[in-house]
Amino acid sequence: GGGLTQITRTGAGEANPVWSPLGRRLACEYGSRIGSFEIVVMNADGTGRRRLTRNRVDDIEPVWSPRGRGIAFTRFVSAANSEIFFIRPGGTELKRLTFSRAEEHHPDWSTKGKIAYVRYGAATHDLVVMDGDGSGKHVIWSGRGIGSATWSPDGTALAVEVWDGNDGELYAVSANGAERTRLTRNDVDDYGPVWAPNGARIAYTRF
């Protein structure tokens, strides 16, 4: 609990910081003065701050590519439609990776270069995997209540939150969706899975 250091003092608020693969930089959401959330990167000590996006819609949920050369994030292109975008840490090469009429959220980038995300449709929720450039999209799990998914360190599996209307449970799903294992079974909420560095265990929150 020691060594607490404040590295931002914008007065506007930052949230959801994520480390770059080498631990030298951070990306986070920034509450801009016009009321929208934008993506910002900075050095680990808060210096070298760079705002990557600048618009009147919300850009949230940043995640680094395996080598730290790109950032995927969620953009609300309209009130009822969010999509996954890509941008370089220098603020160049902005690219839209998904195109749908649904809400697409929670991108996570594997060490093998695959991006997993969740598509929230009117009838079902789809866990989708695609290449880092947006190609090769395929649904590996479709059902109700699928929440965020987190890649294992070796990129072979995902820890997935599933909400059945009464509580949240955790599942482990193989990268191609062929294997699925329920990890928790109870009447409380289990969520926020985080893999151990060696992939042998998963920490999570129970509420």
Side-chain angles (χ1 to χ4, degrees), residues 14-202:
E14 287 86 9
N16 296 326
V18 288
W19 288 103
S20 65
L22 294 179
R24 297 173 181 171
R25 290 183 291 179
L26 289 161
C28 69
E29 301 167 8
Y30 161 72
S32 71
R33 300 185 187 280
I34 62 173
S36 61
F37 283 98
E38 310 294 348
I39 304 299
V40 173
V41 296
M42 67 190 78
N43 296 328
D45 61 359
T47 63
R49 182 185 179 90
R50 179 187 294 270
R51 182 170 169 178
L52 303 187
T53 62
R54 190 181 300 271
N55 50 66
R56 294 186 177 276
V57 298
D58 287 335
D59 295 328
I60 60 173
E61 302 174 340
V63 58
W64 293 85
S65 67
R67 296 184 179 181
R69 297 176 179 175
I71 294 170
F73 63 94
T74 301
R75 169 170 288 181
F76 280 86
V77 296
S78 70
N81 180 211
S82 57
E83 303 289 345
I84 309 301
F85 281 71
F86 168 91
I87 197 168
R88 296 288 183 190
T92 62
E93 299 184 39
L94 178 67
K95 179 182 179 182
R96 183 170 173 172
L97 301 182
T98 63
F99 298 83
S100 76
R101 296 181 180 179
E103 289 193 28
E104 296 178 313
H105 274 282
H106 311 304
D108 195 49
W109 216 317
S110 80
T111 53
K112 294 188 174 182
K114 301 290 186 179
I115 297 175
Y117 63 95
V118 181
R119 178 190 299 143
Y120 294 97
T124 62
H125 298 170
D126 297 329
L127 179 57
V128 186
V129 173
M130 65 179 172
D131 294 330
D133 62 359
S135 63
K137 296 180 180 69
H138 60 284
V139 176
I140 66 168
W141 189 3
S142 183
R144 295 294 298 177
I146 297 175
S148 62
T150 305
W151 284 106
S152 62
D154 63 1
T156 62
L158 290 146
V160 186
E161 300 174 2
V162 178
W163 301 85
D164 64 3
N166 297 314
D167 54 45
E169 305 292 350
L170 298 181
Y171 286 75
V173 182
S174 61
N176 61 5
E179 300 178 26
R180 189 186 311 162
T181 303
R182 184 168 179 171
L183 303 180
T184 64
R185 188 185 300 271
N186 50 61
D187 295 325
V188 296
D189 292 334
D190 297 324
Y191 60 96
V194 178
W195 292 84
N198 64 1
R201 295 185 295 176
I202 298 172

